[in-house]
Amino acid sequence: MQQITYLPRTGKTNSKMRRYAARGELMARKAVEVANRGRTTEEIWDSIIKPVDETDVLANLLIGIKDIPDVQRKQPRLRKPIMSDGSVTAR
């Protein structure tokens, strides 16, 4: 970890000391923000929706698909004949 040097505010300061002081204040603010940060979106979703094992979900899906009764997926289209007696004309 990086060592942070905090310089006193009293007395005469040059630009290097002011930069160190400003950097120290920034690092202290960032440390407080990290300590007080809220939960991330992923943590919130994980607390709402419990994580599950993918293999269990896949196995339940396959069992559910096998339980579906076999039905005809597509109905055949009934075509009406072109002529009333069922004959086809050439054009």
Side-chain angles (χ1 to χ4, degrees):
M1 185 171 177
Q2 196 175 23
Q3 184 179 5
I4 301 171
T5 305
Y6 292 99
L7 300 173
R9 284 285 197 171
T10 59
K12 214 172 182 186
T13 58
N14 58 18
S15 63
K16 184 176 182 181
M17 290 176 66
R18 287 191 300 270
R19 258 196 329 270
Y20 277 140
R23 183 72 180 161
E25 290 171 1
L26 175 69
M27 295 296 283
R29 275 197 320 267
K30 293 290 183 183
V32 169
E33 287 177 9
V34 168
N36 293 336
R37 74 171 178 89
R39 296 188 302 171
T40 63
T41 306
E42 292 175 359
E43 292 171 341
I44 294 170
W45 279 112
D46 286 341
S47 68
I48 295 171
I49 302 170
K50 301 297 179 199
V52 295
D53 188 20
E54 291 86 9
T55 55
D56 293 338
V57 173
L58 190 59
N60 289 334
L61 180 64
L62 288 175
I63 291 171
I65 290 174
K66 287 183 180 180
D67 291 341
I68 296 174
D70 291 334
V71 293
Q72 192 173 10
R73 300 285 185 240
K74 186 176 178 182
Q75 298 293 331
R77 199 169 113 184
L78 298 176
R79 302 186 83 189
K80 294 184 177 180
I82 295 174
M83 301 293 286
S84 61
D85 60 352
S87 63
V88 178
T89 60
R91 294 184 183 211

